[in-house]
Amino acid sequence: MWYSIPRVVFTGSLLAVTVTVAQAQTADVQVEKLTITHPATDTDQQHTMLDLWISLPGIASLGDDSRVVSLEDDQGNDLLETEVSPEAQFGFDPAENGYLMRHQITSNLEEKWLRVPVFAPDVPDREATSLSMELELELELELELELELALAGDGARHVTVDNIDFTDIPGWGVDIDAGGHTVTCRDDRRERPDDEPLELFCFMREGSLLGITALGQDDTPEPSHAESNLVVVGDRQDVTLEMEIPESSSVQQVTQLEFGLGLDR
């Protein structure tokens, strides 16, 4: 768990009022949801969460250099700063990930958007009516088909990762660093973990995993489970995987948002 849920939560929906970007090819960035959690007691947590909606043709994922630079209310309160240690209060420091909850990012590549949660360790002043926010965004883009053909390539690169241990797979799966992308492999047959062969469902958190294969296996059978895309035969402790990942480029932009709190006071 990232944090426990206090007892008093106010939620409002809103849209961004202004967006200023510094890039010729820029993403549409909006605030879809704002949640302000005030403490019910002195021991409860307080924090602010935003859901950002980011849309750009070809968008695949959010780059590692993305971060929230500032988040302030119209009373001058800095929501990124807190008097209490974030580790002591929440069990993690949101600044380490740029205040972006990367494990909870969702994407729709067909509709060309990402939904990115933002976690701020403080809340707006009770007299505040609006917030201002500055973001530095690095957006990974998949190459378009026309560009792939023009380059006479297949628009993908092959990444080999060895020494993968599948002997004990937790419920959320095994995370694998594949050339800067995170690929998660999950066992959908956990009620029968010792079944042979091992069948896994592997996916990229942001972007499309085009293919995945365990190397060094002879006559690998087709998976019997409808959702599985990786079959591991025999030893599960030292597995070598070859993955096919889309080639990508990236764009960077600075985005400034101003928006109302959208809450009934």
Side-chain angles (χ1 to χ4, degrees):
M1 290 291 293
W2 285 79
Y3 54 90
S4 60
I5 303 297
R7 285 172 285 180
V8 182
V9 178
F10 301 96
T11 301
S13 297
L14 49 115
L15 294 177
V17 176
T18 60
V19 178
T20 305
V21 293
Q23 184 81 16
Q25 184 183 18
T26 56
D28 180 16
V29 183
Q30 299 183 22
V31 179
E32 280 196 325
K33 184 180 180 182
L34 168 66
T35 302
I36 300 173
T37 302
H38 290 287
T41 70
D42 292 339
T43 60
D44 282 339
Q45 302 170 0
Q46 64 178 19
H47 58 271
T48 300
M49 291 195 64
L50 305 170
D51 278 355
L52 295 176
W53 182 83
I54 304 174
S55 179
L56 184 67
I59 193 167
S61 63
L62 194 68
D64 292 339
D65 290 336
S66 299
R67 67 181 291 103
V68 179
V69 177
S70 65
L71 180 60
E72 298 180 349
D73 65 25
D74 57 6
Q75 302 298 308
N77 185 37
D78 184 354
L79 275 63
L80 302 184
E81 296 293 332
T82 178
E83 296 180 358
V84 181
S85 166
E87 292 91 341
Q89 188 174 17
F90 308 112
F92 70 103
D93 185 356
E96 292 181 356
N97 288 314
Y99 302 95
L100 306 172
M101 301 187 73
R102 299 178 182 274
H103 281 71
Q104 297 184 20
I105 293 176
T106 57
S107 62
N108 188 316
L109 300 185
E110 292 183 359
E111 298 183 5
K112 303 169 185 173
W113 56 257
L114 303 176
R115 184 169 284 110
V116 182
V118 174
F119 185 99
D122 203 354
V123 297
D125 187 273
R126 291 192 180 271
E127 300 299 320
T129 60
S130 65
L131 297 175
S132 60
M133 183 180 200
E134 182 175 340
L135 300 155
E136 291 179 356
L137 295 176
E138 180 187 30
L139 305 175
E140 300 291 337
L141 307 179
E142 292 184 355
L143 292 178
E144 299 292 337
L145 177 60
E146 292 80 7
L147 181 58
E148 295 170 10
L149 295 176
L151 294 176
D154 60 4
R157 60 190 175 104
H158 295 265
V159 177
T160 300
V161 183
D162 54 17
N163 298 320
I164 305 300
D165 189 351
F166 287 132
T167 55
D168 185 14
I169 302 175
W172 57 87
V174 174
D175 290 339
I176 302 166
D177 183 3
H181 294 278
T182 299
V183 173
T184 300
C185 290
R186 188 174 64 216
D187 185 2
D188 288 329
R189 306 185 309 169
R190 295 184 68 237
E191 70 279 5
R192 305 193 310 274
D194 296 327
D195 279 6
E196 287 283 356
L198 176 64
E199 297 186 8
L200 302 172
F201 169 57
C202 301
F203 59 94
M204 288 174 58
R205 287 185 182 151
E206 304 98 26
S208 301
L209 180 63
L210 302 179
I212 184 167
T213 305
L215 300 181
Q217 299 182 161
D218 296 327
D219 301 324
T220 301
E222 293 293 325
S224 60
H225 194 283
E227 299 297 325
S228 299
N229 56 1
L230 174 65
V231 178
V232 178
V233 179
D235 184 18
R236 304 181 183 183
Q237 190 169 4
D238 188 15
V239 179
T240 299
L241 299 177
E242 183 179 74
M243 307 179 208
E244 189 176 4
I245 296 173
E247 285 284 11
S248 64
S249 60
S250 65
V251 296
Q252 294 182 338
Q253 69 181 59
V254 175
T255 300
Q256 293 177 340
L257 305 174
E258 294 181 3
F259 47 92
L261 294 182
L263 300 175
D264 294 329
R265 298 265 175 167

